[in-house]
Amino acid sequence: MNLYLRYFDREALVNSADEAIAFLSEIDEIEMSPDLENDIREYAASDVFYPKRYKIRPRVYFIIIKTEAANMQDFKEKRAVRTAPNTEKGRAATTIMKLNEERDGWYEGTIDFKRVQLVPGTSKFQYRDTHFVAIVRAMSGLDCYNRIVDHLRQRVDDRSQFPSVKGKNFKFRYMGMAKESV
């Protein structure tokens, strides 16, 4: 794993944390402290792949990016981009693909939503977190979500709030097809 460093128009692609520290030490505006050195070494050794930004003074930073690029040209042309499932955007794309995958059968859907309920004795309403689990016959995870939400909309106050199908408050599990009787 290589490290790309940039401070204004000065940039470098290095092979190790020691080379990164040496490059940054050559820049007069950057004061290399033991804490900064340790932080750079920890970042280089960690499994974290998002870019790291270090503050030099107000609104002035240098950045470090982990990359698999062998040289600066590969890095600039984005030839060594990490595969999508290891990034947050890639996980979101995978989730959407799973939602839309068509598999006829039974699904267990779990949804956490905000349900409007009357507070007894006050004639006021409040939102209450509600956990709902249902087993439905559907064609996909998205169809499972739609069937559950349609069912709930008929039975709860119109002001209740349902989560996004892509959010963390909806989960589904494909349970398979029911055995047909002979």
Side-chain angles (χ1 to χ4, degrees):
M1 186 65 53
N2 293 326
L3 300 171
Y4 169 78
L5 297 104
R6 182 175 183 150
Y7 180 73
F8 288 106
D9 60 346
R10 298 186 69 178
E11 61 186 1
L13 188 69
V14 297
N15 297 324
S16 68
D18 292 328
E19 290 178 27
I21 292 167
F23 169 76
L24 294 170
S25 297
E26 295 172 1
I27 301 172
D28 295 332
E29 292 92 9
I30 298 175
E31 185 178 319
M32 191 57 64
S33 67
D35 289 336
L36 182 58
E37 285 185 28
N38 288 338
D39 199 45
I40 292 170
R41 289 182 205 285
E42 287 175 14
Y43 173 73
S46 72
D47 292 336
V48 175
F49 286 97
Y50 58 84
K52 186 112 179 182
R53 178 171 86 154
Y54 293 92
K55 189 173 190 175
I56 304 302
R57 58 181 185 272
R59 296 188 304 265
V60 176
Y61 301 88
F62 73 86
I63 63 166
I64 301 177
I65 300 172
K66 287 186 179 180
T67 180
E68 294 175 352
N71 56 48
M72 189 65 80
Q73 184 177 359
D74 286 351
F75 178 79
K76 296 284 183 172
E77 294 176 1
K78 298 180 182 174
R79 290 188 189 154
V81 176
R82 293 194 56 81
T83 56
N86 293 332
T87 64
E88 191 67 33
K89 189 181 268 187
R91 282 191 288 276
T94 304
T95 302
I96 292 170
M97 285 182 6
K98 286 181 183 176
L99 279 169
N100 292 325
E101 180 183 336
E102 289 199 9
R103 288 174 57 183
D104 185 25
W106 292 96
Y107 288 80
E108 179 183 59
T110 304
I111 189 168
D112 296 319
F113 68 102
K114 301 281 187 186
R115 182 177 186 175
V116 173
Q117 288 185 320
L118 178 65
V119 178
T122 63
S123 71
K124 293 185 178 180
F125 292 88
Q126 72 178 20
Y127 287 101
R128 292 229 173 123
D129 290 333
T130 305
H131 182 77
F132 184 80
V133 180
I135 297 175
V136 297
R137 178 79 187 256
M139 292 295 295
S140 66
L142 182 60
D143 188 31
C144 172
Y145 172 84
N146 290 333
R147 287 175 186 249
I148 290 172
V149 170
D150 288 343
H151 172 79
L152 290 172
R153 283 191 197 277
Q154 296 171 7
R155 287 162 177 79
V156 298
D157 192 291
D158 291 338
R159 296 170 287 181
S160 297
Q161 299 173 354
F162 297 99
S164 167
V165 69
K166 296 178 267 183
K168 65 180 181 180
N169 291 325
F170 171 69
K171 295 178 181 62
F172 69 94
R173 180 172 61 99
Y174 179 70
M175 298 175 67
M177 290 295 297
K179 291 183 180 178
E180 294 185 27
S181 60
V182 180

